[in-house]
Amino acid sequence: MTDKLRQVTAIVFDWAGTTVDQGSLAPTIAFQEVFRTRNVEITAAQAREPMGRAKRDHIAAILAMPMVAAAWRAAHGRPYEEADIDALYKEFLPIQERVLKEHSDVITGVPQAVETCRRMGLKIGSTTGYTRDLMKIVSASAGQQGYKPDCVVCADDVPRGRPAPYLLYQAAMQLDAYPLWTMVAVDDTPVGIEAGRQAGCWTVGVTLAGNGVGLSLEEINALPVDRQRRLCDQAAERLRSAGAHYTIESAADIVPLVVDVERRLRDGESPLRWPE
């Protein structure tokens, strides 16, 4: 499919779990490690639950979980405070930087799908809960592997991260893509889907490759097919509950959905009214 599209203007992809780092492993590992330095053990599920938010907000959300808050009180003899969030965030950044160097592989098929979208006349944007400094590592690695979006909007580029729509607004401005209902936002987290709906974009949730399944490619391939299917279905349900118009196993599968969005726009449909 290389015909130029006339209705869809741009696709804006998330990074970890969507275009790089299958299973969104890097932030999960880093969050668990930083809490461990404070004698608080958190599970991978707890680390993943707020995924998609700006990283300081993510730490605050983990601390607010009743079980984690109780573990913090047991370890420190007092409830956590704002100063603890700031301290954890400061310690998190170098840990995340180190972990990213081992977890920035581009997800299989993404560069090829993106190139097809470019040939269809689409602009390619990206947004992330990572900071600009962290993204220097990820962007450089992704570029060497053939994935170079037209813009990268980071958590520290906007006044508030997801689920606020500001990352997508900034991407739209940098891409000169409008109205926002002609854009497609692709993300692997419910909060990213919420941001896309808030912005008025078409939203596509990523299941198998993303945070909702949370497994590396090797771990996925070791599972029976029926188990893979159940995990995908569970992730898809969470994304649809957040408002996803579509779900796909990987961002590499985006092309047919963009063609369908083109058809819907041509028929006068709007992401603000669909699904009903």
Side-chain angles (χ1 to χ4, degrees), residues 224-241:
V225 173
D226 61 339
R227 176 61 175 158
Q228 293 181 25
R229 183 74 270 141
R230 285 197 300 273
L231 290 172
C232 281
D233 289 346
Q234 291 166 4
E237 180 57 33
R238 289 190 291 271
L239 293 163
R240 283 194 293 266
S241 293

Side-chain angles (χ1 to χ4, degrees), residues 24 74 82 128 136 156:
S24 199
E82 283 293 311
T128 179
K136 289 177 183 177
D156 45 354

Side-chain angles (χ1 to χ4, degrees), residues 186 204-209 239 246-255 257:
V186 187
V204 179
V206 175
T207 60
L208 188 64
L239 293 163
Y246 302 89
T247 60
I248 51 178
E249 291 189 358
S250 167
D253 306 323
I254 190 64
V255 172
L257 298 193

Side-chain angles (χ1 to χ4, degrees), residues 13 50 87 115 131 167 172-173 187 201 210 227 232-233 271 274:
F13 293 96
E115 181 56 32
T131 64
L167 288 165
M173 287 190 290
D187 203 288
C201 300
R227 176 61 175 158
C232 281
D233 289 346
W274 184 83

Side-chain angles (χ1 to χ4, degrees), residues 29-52:
I29 293 168
F31 285 123
Q32 288 185 285
E33 186 170 331
V34 75
F35 273 88
R36 196 173 295 123
T37 66
R38 297 305 185 90
N39 299 314
V40 176
E41 292 288 337
I42 64 170
T43 66
Q46 289 168 332
R48 289 181 180 282
E49 187 174 321
M51 201 70 78

Side-chain angles (χ1 to χ4, degrees), residues 14 31 46 75 82 90 110 118 121 128 140 158-159 161 219 233 260:
D14 173 50
F31 285 123
Q46 289 168 332
E82 283 293 311
K90 184 176 180 180
V110 166
R118 288 192 195 280
T128 179
V158 294
E219 291 171 324
D233 289 346
D260 194 62

